[in-house]
Amino acid sequence: MKENTQAGTGVSALNGAFMLSKGKCAVHLHFAHILLGIAIIVISILLILIPQEGIVTNKNFTSAFYMFGIIGMCYGLYYIITKNSRMIYEPTGSPVVYRQLYYDLDAENAVTGFINGKSATLPQSCTQGGIMLRTYIAQDGSMACLQACKYHEFVFEPLLAPAMLDEGKAKVMAEYIKA
């Protein structure tokens, strides 16, 4: 399923740029992940160098060392590129997580009612559905930003503009995600 970034009505889709500008969030480098990726690359280089030093003489083992070394270097680079940063909610210093929740089409009013403040609870989510709720939530429950999208003609189109929840509703949303 593809997702639209702009609906025909001009309602912008929720994305990281909205979160950075409206949600007092910042992207911070995660140095532990960078160091782990570098360690994986160094170990992979050592695996490639071992057969060249003559420690391993069997050709089958030599090929295995080369193969694991190359695979390890690729994984280390992938790990550094994809896992090196995380979004932080700056007022509390809490990491922000992104989740997508899906609901049946008949739950549209309940989901939009929760976002608009007309309802205090959300219906039970499912693994697939016609309504998708995109959420950025601070892990401590101090901030939540969400947007409801409806599946229409092979794409998810935004139903509402992105909404920032106050601390009470954000805490409810954070507990809902954990459950």
Side-chain angles (χ1 to χ4, degrees):
M1 289 187 234
K2 189 178 133 193
E3 182 179 333
N4 248 353
T5 56
Q6 289 282 328
T9 59
V11 177
S12 62
L14 178 64
N15 60 23
F18 177 83
M19 281 300 303
L20 293 174
S21 64
K22 303 289 186 207
K24 299 177 189 162
C25 294
V27 175
H28 292 268
L29 289 178
H30 198 269
F31 290 109
H33 287 245
I34 293 172
L35 290 175
L36 182 60
I38 291 171
I40 292 170
I41 291 172
V42 168
I43 291 169
S44 300
I45 290 171
L46 290 175
L47 285 175
I48 292 172
L49 292 177
I50 287 174
Q52 293 177 357
E53 294 297 323
I55 298 170
V56 177
T57 57
N58 187 335
K59 289 187 179 189
N60 291 334
F61 286 126
T62 302
S63 298
F65 273 83
Y66 284 142
M67 182 186 67
F68 285 122
I70 291 170
I71 290 171
M73 284 181 22
C74 292
Y75 181 74
L77 288 172
Y78 166 78
Y79 196 82
I80 288 174
I81 291 169
T82 60
K83 307 284 187 192
N84 68 349
S85 63
R86 62 181 172 175
M87 195 178 302
I88 301 289
Y89 182 57
E90 289 190 324
T92 62
S94 176
V96 176
V97 294
Y98 175 74
R99 297 283 187 267
Q100 291 179 347
L101 303 171
Y102 295 94
Y103 300 94
D104 293 327
L105 281 173
D106 52 339
E108 177 180 347
N109 291 335
V111 172
T112 56
F114 178 80
I115 294 172
N116 292 331
K118 297 175 183 172
S119 172
T121 61
L122 279 168
Q124 183 66 31
S125 64
C126 55
T127 57
Q128 293 181 7
I131 303 295
M132 176 178 63
L133 185 62
R134 301 177 67 208
T135 64
Y136 284 97
I137 301 173
Q139 286 183 342
D140 64 357
S142 57
M143 180 277 306
C145 181
L146 28 106
Q147 182 179 32
C149 300
K150 185 175 184 176
Y151 189 72
H152 178 70
E153 294 183 5
F154 303 107
V155 294
F156 277 103
E157 294 182 354
L159 288 172
L160 304 168
M164 297 293 290
L165 298 183
D166 60 358
E167 191 168 332
K169 277 197 148 185
K171 199 162 281 284
V172 169
M173 193 69 201
E175 291 300 320
Y176 179 82
I177 294 275
K178 288 179 186 175

